[in-house]
Amino acid sequence: MSEIWVVAEVPAALNELIAHAKGLAEGEKIIALTFSQDAAQAAASHGADRVLCFEGGQRPEAFVDQIIERAQAARPTAVLWGASRRDKEMAARVAAALDAGLVSECFSVKRNGSEFTTERCVYGGLCVASEVSQAPFMGTLTPKTIEAPAESPAVGIEVISGGAEKCQVLEMRPSKSSSNLGEASVVVCVGRGVSKREDIELARRLAKKLDGEVGCTRPVAEDLHWLPEENYIGISGQTVKPSVYIGIGVSGQIQHISGIRDSKTIIAIEQNENAPILEAADYTLVGDLYQLLPTLLDALKA
Amino acid sequence: MKIIACYKWVLDEADLKVEAQSRRLLTGRAKSKISEYDRNALECGVQLIDESGGEVIALTAGTGGAKSSLKDALSRGPAEAVFVKDEIMAQSDPAVTAKVLAAAVRHIGEYDLILCGEGSSDEYSEQVGIRLAQLLGIPVVSFVNKVQVADGVLRAERKLDGGIEVVQVQLPAVVTVLPDMNTPRIPSLKQILAAAKKPVKELNLAGLGLDQAQLTAKVRRQTVLGTVMERKGIRFRGEAREVVQQVLTVLNKEGLC
Amino acid sequence: MDFELSEEESLLQAAVREFAQTEVAPIAAEIDRNHRFPEEILPRLAELNLLGIPFPDEVGGAGADYLSYAIAIEELARVCASTAVIVSAHTSLGTSPIMDYGTPSQKEKYLHDLASGQKLAAFALTEPGAGTDASAGKTTAVLEGEEWVLNGSKIFITNGGYADVYVVTAMTDPAKGTKGMSAFIVEKGAPGFSFGEKEHKMGIKGSSTTPLYFNNCRIPRDALLGAEGQGFKIAMHTLDGGRIGIAAQALGIAQGALDAAVKYAKERVQFGKPIAAQQAIQWMVADSATEIEAARFLVYRAAWNKDHGLSYTKEAAMAKVFASETASRVAGKAVQIHGGYGYTENYPVERALRDAKITEIYEGTSEVQRMVIAGTLLR
């Protein structure tokens, strides 16, 4: 058991996993398992000791059986997984095959010898659960909880082909809208306090002026359909980590707050002084958004 | 078609509160319910047999308290329920739950399709259904919001981060379903009253041949505490122009204006 | 003594609550504002088996009991008093008498469709000159060969115009007073049977309340319900059961109003804190909650008695008078707690106040209920 594996679909996630792995390693080598050249190159130049690139299968999941075999042979001390949906499926299958525990979407992992302590959100974001597992440790790690390592001279990439599975992929339809919320440094979020769909324009103007992106709370996307689902920020939607988050008519339900908690500065415009957002924000403009927002836009000349 | 729909009896997170000082979780007033996405799984199963005939078996593993879930589940369309009852389920993790369910499924015998919610509304580990498939040695299609079955072949759409993946596989298989797959129907009064007459099979862990090692959680919970947000909580009140001036100072510090 | 609901009753409560919130609540304000009978809700009510709750499975009902019925009516009324009374009038007033007094062939002809919700029922006792004094009815029924001929009119009939089947009282022998009253089953479309304009009411505006006109209305001989001269007794017995439904409706109106007031009190900030921190508000809420709890147990007790074959006249009257007066008080306090906003159509409490009032009047005014209660004790 002298390896720590990092496995992720997405290059950015992979790099963060390598950073986590470096923090946890006690002499173990860091082996990156990747499914695309982009990801393989990212891992190779951000600190992995060895990089495997599984290629030629119809999709990453086609390699799960091979990964299981390798894991059974190599017996890594820990396998850190990304948290994309594909990553989660692969992680659960490998964990089941190895009869290992799997901690889902943990935002912190610490190691004490062969004991790993993790923290993750439960009850819709209401609580944090602190849990302990013994090596071999497996977990899917939430993104943006650590800086990627600095670039370093690239190591070689081993290409592994094959990949066979019973499922047949008929089609892959990429999603049309691409939301940059995850990367945005300013996020303007629309909540239910906004009474008309047309008023989202006010939020857009603010976002544009501040060079930010527009997001929303779950009801605005899923019930009212005023914005696409990709724009919804919350426990089962996007997580954002901007320098400035501005909530417009956002009451601050726990499920939404868990998606914005890592923002540097949280500002809210809200008239109900009893709304939870006031406790969750650094600054709240108390009053009617239909007065405050136009005044703000005016002052910014937006 | 014989479909097994798995569900979990969970505390209703809307009833949960956190004590401000100690951050302790207060569950005293919490009622229990069938986890949200599991209702979608039950509904999916019932819709499939409405179309092509067959039956749905509701399966749950839980402590004695989960007994209250049976009529609720049976009022939603399954023909019978299988309940694996053991207090150890209070400490189980997804690894254990999946093993227990796998043993129960083997006990049930033949089946065409197993449906699970994508994750439970309390823990949201998103693992059990997927683990179950691996343990049973059958394919899994996860994060599904559309499903069709014809001639023993399942065709499903997975909603992934990058888009929609359309997949086809021969049954038997496990499918984990997303909440936007369907709107669970409201049970009619007759369905509620008929639930009491439907068969319930109660199983225990010893009977399923599971030993202590298999039932020991791999991930042990140490604490559960309310999340804490330490924010400034400053309020700007007053006339619109004044309030806006104050926030402009903040934005200015961030280099935004 | 077990004060808990059974598993089935809890599941029913949850199902009706979900239905009320997802399918009735979105139309409640609109049907009130537009004075519109919500026809689209009827097939859904039928699908959920809510139009024949206390009737046996064999006749097309849900096979539940009066306690379940009361629970369902309360849940509907929390969100829409109009929908609740549509169901209540159909079940307790229109369908029950056919269940209790119908001949096998009448039951075969009508009961299944009504209990399964395929058709809607109504009950017509009240006349312009005969409200509390129900015996003063002037509508007559005369047997001519193989037909009864009805002449007269009824007023304030719930589900009027929309119901397919009407249980109508008429004098077959005016000389005999109450013993000369008989009950009949009249179908919509019967020759000589017509409806007047819907009343424009203070509340329950989604419920259709119309006069009925009988102008040489001819119905078959076997449309007589029960024995000749039994009509008054049938009416009184029917109203007893109806009172449980109305009491449950009033209970729902009160609970809905209180829930809204509690929510508002926690959110509305004056003097730098939610008004829920003010003792005046706290006492209004405490009193309202206590009265509602008392009303609930009176309703449950009346329903339980009926389900167990015990006499329930007194209990139903107590439940009705107390729950209805509670509804008016609680709704009034709810508007008060909402302040100026409570007086506007943007909040549901002004509708609750308007809806509550009728519960003190129909199916026996509070004065009648008091007479009934006193009668059981003092005679």
Side-chain angles (χ1 to χ4, degrees):
Chain A
M1 291 215 293
S2 56
E3 294 177 358
I4 291 183
W5 288 12
V6 296
V7 193
E9 233 195 312
V10 170
L14 202 45
N15 291 340
E16 288 176 21
L17 292 178
I18 293 171
H20 281 291
K22 284 185 183 296
L24 295 170
E26 285 174 10
E28 287 95 352
K29 293 253 180 281
I30 297 171
I31 321 291
L33 278 67
T34 67
F35 307 95
S36 69
Q37 275 299 321
D38 281 349
Q41 278 160 22
S45 54
H46 284 86
D49 295 305
R50 206 175 139 212
V51 178
L52 308 181
C53 183
F54 293 93
E55 275 189 337
Q58 57 179 358
R59 57 178 188 167
E61 291 90 323
F63 294 100
V64 168
D65 288 341
Q66 288 194 41
I67 293 174
I68 289 170
E69 264 181 56
R70 287 173 174 265
Q72 281 166 338
R75 311 213 309 135
T77 311
V79 183
L80 309 180
W81 299 82
S84 77
R85 284 182 165 173
R86 287 199 200 279
D87 292 337
K88 287 177 185 175
E89 179 183 305
M90 294 191 286
R93 287 169 62 183
V94 173
L98 267 53
D99 197 21
L102 175 66
V103 184
S104 298
E105 292 207 83
C106 45
F107 56 82
S108 103
V109 194
K110 291 191 177 68
R111 177 181 182 178
N112 187 357
S114 66
E115 201 175 79
F116 290 80
T117 305
T118 50
E119 284 188 311
R120 66 185 186 100
C121 287
V122 292
Y123 298 121
L126 184 67
C127 295
V128 170
S130 176
E131 296 168 311
V132 164
S133 19
Q134 298 292 94
F137 169 76
M138 287 206 198
T140 57
L141 274 57
T142 48
K144 300 197 209 83
T145 55
I146 199 170
E147 294 287 321
E151 277 199 58
S152 49
V155 298
I157 298 170
E158 286 168 56
V159 171
I160 297 159
S161 54
E165 53 170 339
K166 294 207 185 105
C167 285
Q168 192 198 344
V169 175
L170 300 178
E171 201 191 333
M172 178 70 203
R173 299 200 292 264
S175 52
K176 292 171 213 108
S177 102
S178 52
S179 171
N180 295 319
L181 275 172
E183 311 301 314
S185 61
V186 173
V187 169
V188 177
C189 184
V190 173
R192 291 206 73 163
V194 172
S195 45
K196 286 192 318 296
R197 187 184 204 141
E198 296 75 59
D199 299 332
I200 295 179
E201 187 51 32
L202 295 168
R204 279 197 226 277
R205 280 168 55 195
L206 182 60
K208 186 159 185 216
K209 183 69 186 177
L210 300 176
D211 212 19
E213 297 282 331
V214 173
C216 64
T217 57
R218 196 178 74 83
V220 173
E222 292 197 5
D223 299 336
L224 298 170
H225 303 291
W226 288 353
L227 283 168
E229 274 179 54
E230 288 80 34
N231 292 56
Y232 132 54
I233 300 167
I235 188 121
S236 44
Q238 299 267 11
T239 301
V240 297
K241 212 185 158 187
S243 301
V244 174
Y245 162 97
I246 305 177
I248 316 273
V250 171
S251 65
Q253 299 307 313
I254 192 88
Q255 292 86 350
H256 176 66
I257 299 298
S258 71
I260 70 170
R261 61 183 326 104
D262 293 321
S263 312
K264 178 157 168 261
T265 301
I266 294 178
I267 301 173
I269 303 182
E270 172 58 45
Q271 66 181 353
N272 176 6
E273 288 207 51
N274 220 33
I277 192 86
L278 278 86
E279 292 300 306
D282 294 297
Y283 306 97
T284 304
L285 287 71
V286 182
D288 181 0
L289 73 96
Y290 286 101
Q291 286 205 311
L292 291 168
L293 190 46
T295 308
L296 176 60
L297 289 169
D298 199 50
L300 288 169
K301 298 193 181 26
Chain B
M1 211 185 353
K2 194 159 163 199
I3 300 178
I4 301 175
C6 301
Y7 74 87
K8 184 179 180 187
W9 188 237
V10 300
L11 288 176
D12 190 343
E13 63 278 4
D15 293 341
L16 298 175
K17 291 200 169 19
V18 166
E19 193 173 66
Q21 286 288 64
S22 65
R23 292 168 59 203
R24 242 177 5 115
L25 179 65
L26 302 169
T27 58
R29 290 187 153 265
K31 293 200 206 56
S32 294
K33 60 173 186 177
I34 294 179
S35 171
E36 295 307 318
Y37 307 165
D38 295 342
R39 286 189 211 192
N40 297 105
L42 283 163
E43 176 67 25
C44 176
V46 172
Q47 282 185 13
L48 285 170
I49 60 153
D50 276 350
E51 268 168 55
S52 30
E55 61 164 27
V56 174
I57 299 175
L59 169 61
T60 194
T63 63
K67 189 157 197 270
S68 316
S69 71
L70 296 165
K71 282 186 191 166
D72 191 341
L74 289 168
S75 72
R76 294 172 188 278
E80 60 178 283
V82 175
F83 173 30
V84 184
K85 185 174 102 164
D86 200 291
E87 297 311 300
I88 211 175
M89 293 307 299
Q91 275 94 40
S92 73
D93 68 351
V96 170
T97 304
K99 284 180 215 165
V100 173
L101 292 177
V105 168
R106 286 186 205 106
H107 179 95
I108 289 172
E110 302 262 304
Y111 58 90
D112 298 294
L113 177 62
I114 301 177
L115 298 171
C116 297
E118 167 222 346
S120 62
S121 52
D122 53 355
E123 296 286 321
Y124 204 59
S125 298
E126 299 175 283
Q127 293 178 36
V128 170
I130 299 168
R131 282 180 179 263
L132 183 55
Q134 190 70 28
L135 294 174
L136 293 172
I138 59 178
V140 63
V141 188
S142 59
F143 304 106
V144 168
N145 66 359
K146 251 200 198 121
V147 83
Q148 261 177 286
V149 177
D151 300 317
V153 173
L154 175 100
R155 193 187 149 116
E157 291 191 8
R158 301 175 69 202
K159 190 156 168 212
L160 302 176
D161 307 78
I164 307 284
E165 181 179 85
V166 184
V167 157
Q168 190 169 280
V169 71
Q170 193 86 24
L171 294 178
V174 171
V175 169
T176 74
V177 312
L178 292 172
D180 57 313
M181 158 152 265
N182 55 45
T183 302
R185 68 194 70 177
I186 299 172
S188 74
L189 182 45
K190 283 193 193 186
Q191 285 178 296
I192 291 171
L193 295 174
K197 301 191 197 98
K198 293 182 180 175
V200 173
K201 194 183 268 184
E202 212 176 277
L203 302 173
N204 61 49
L205 296 175
L208 291 175
L210 294 163
D211 64 37
Q212 201 48 45
Q214 289 166 302
L215 298 171
T216 307
K218 301 284 178 186
V219 179
R220 281 172 297 119
R221 177 145 305 172
Q222 295 197 301
T223 62
V224 176
L225 292 173
T227 42
V228 142
M229 275 279 276
E230 266 140 21
R231 291 282 168 179
K232 296 193 177 83
I234 294 172
R235 287 138 218 244
F236 295 145
R237 280 194 203 86
E239 207 255 299
R241 297 221 157 270
E242 282 169 28
V243 166
V244 161
Q245 277 312 306
Q246 288 176 296
V247 83
L248 284 180
T249 313
V250 174
L251 291 177
N252 179 266
K253 273 203 220 116
E254 293 296 329
L256 292 172
C257 67
Chain C
M1 188 176 289
D2 189 350
F3 283 73
E4 294 295 311
L5 295 183
S6 71
E7 278 182 300
E8 283 81 355
E9 284 154 4
S10 296
L11 288 174
L12 170 65
Q13 187 182 52
V16 182
R17 186 169 298 185
E18 189 184 341
F19 170 68
Q21 279 167 1
T22 58
E23 299 185 50
V24 181
I27 63 169
E30 181 262 314
I31 66 172
D32 172 74
R33 198 179 325 118
N34 295 331
H35 191 218
R36 178 176 81 78
F37 182 88
E39 286 183 271
E40 72 274 27
I41 279 291
L42 295 179
R44 280 297 285 147
L45 287 165
E47 261 183 327
L48 295 173
N49 311 127
L50 299 179
L51 289 169
I53 296 174
F55 305 119
D57 195 51
E58 303 84 69
V59 304
D65 55 14
Y66 273 85
L67 182 52
S68 303
Y69 170 60
I71 289 168
I73 296 291
E74 181 195 333
E75 290 301 322
L76 290 172
R78 284 192 193 197
V79 143
C80 182
S82 297
T83 302
V85 74
I86 290 170
V87 176
S88 176
H90 159 86
T91 309
S92 291
L93 298 185
T95 310
S96 269
I98 300 179
M99 177 73 205
D100 295 338
Y101 299 98
T103 61
S105 95
Q106 283 171 332
K107 286 189 190 182
E108 197 180 319
K109 187 168 184 195
Y110 297 109
L111 209 43
H112 193 275
D113 282 347
L114 295 177
S116 65
Q118 302 308 308
K119 293 203 168 131
L120 198 66
F123 174 76
L125 168 69
T126 305
E127 297 186 15
T132 293
D133 184 4
S135 64
K138 292 204 172 5
T139 300
T140 54
V142 174
L143 188 61
E144 279 180 17
E146 287 303 301
E147 285 180 327
W148 290 98
V149 182
L150 271 60
N151 273 291
S153 68
K154 298 289 183 183
I155 195 175
F156 299 150
I157 305 308
T158 301
N159 293 341
Y162 291 91
D164 307 283
V165 175
Y166 297 76
V167 172
V168 179
T169 56
M171 301 306 289
T172 37
D173 193 342
K176 287 207 182 124
T178 57
K179 293 212 166 55
M181 184 187 283
S182 303
F184 298 89
I185 302 175
V186 184
E187 290 181 50
K188 186 176 179 184
F193 177 25
S194 64
F195 307 98
E197 289 281 309
K198 281 199 239 182
E199 300 288 349
H200 288 264
K201 310 184 294 291
M202 175 194 272
I204 52 163
K205 292 191 188 189
S207 159
S208 170
T209 310
T210 71
L212 308 185
Y213 300 121
F214 301 98
N215 203 343
N216 288 328
C217 167
R218 292 181 172 273
I219 56 178
R221 187 189 185 129
D222 62 5
L224 174 69
L225 180 65
E228 213 181 305
Q230 201 189 11
F232 189 77
K233 195 160 154 251
I234 291 174
M236 292 305 107
H237 179 238
T238 299
L239 286 173
D240 273 351
R243 276 156 202 169
I244 299 174
I246 297 307
Q249 181 203 19
L251 180 56
I253 294 170
Q255 186 69 61
L258 178 61
D259 290 345
V262 164
K263 178 169 186 279
Y264 185 81
K266 289 185 192 175
E267 287 173 0
R268 171 67 173 176
V269 171
Q270 290 285 265
F271 307 108
K273 48 189 169 174
I275 61 175
Q278 306 291 358
Q279 200 169 63
I281 302 294
Q282 290 166 5
W283 285 3
M284 282 195 254
V285 167
D287 287 343
S288 299
T290 306
E291 288 174 26
I292 288 173
E293 195 75 351
R296 182 164 293 118
F297 286 109
L298 283 172
V299 172
Y300 285 4
R301 176 60 194 252
W304 190 90
N305 274 24
K306 186 169 164 88
D307 286 333
H308 287 78
L310 300 173
S311 153
Y312 58 94
T313 301
K314 177 183 75 169
E315 288 75 10
M318 285 177 162
K320 203 266 191 187
V321 67
F322 190 77
S324 58
E325 292 182 357
T326 294
S328 286
R329 277 193 298 271
V330 171
K333 291 194 174 88
V335 172
Q336 194 69 16
I337 289 171
H338 278 73
Y341 292 101
Y343 203 68
T344 72
E345 288 178 356
N346 296 326
Y347 287 82
V349 287
E350 61 81 28
R351 186 175 86 235
L353 183 54
R354 287 187 287 105
D355 287 342
K357 188 58 190 170
I358 190 63
T359 65
E360 294 182 67
I361 297 170
Y362 61 12
E363 292 197 38
T365 61
S366 298
E367 293 67 41
V368 166
Q369 306 306 332
R370 288 182 165 92
M371 274 166 32
V372 167
I373 297 164
T376 66
L377 294 164
L378 296 171
R379 263 189 226 123

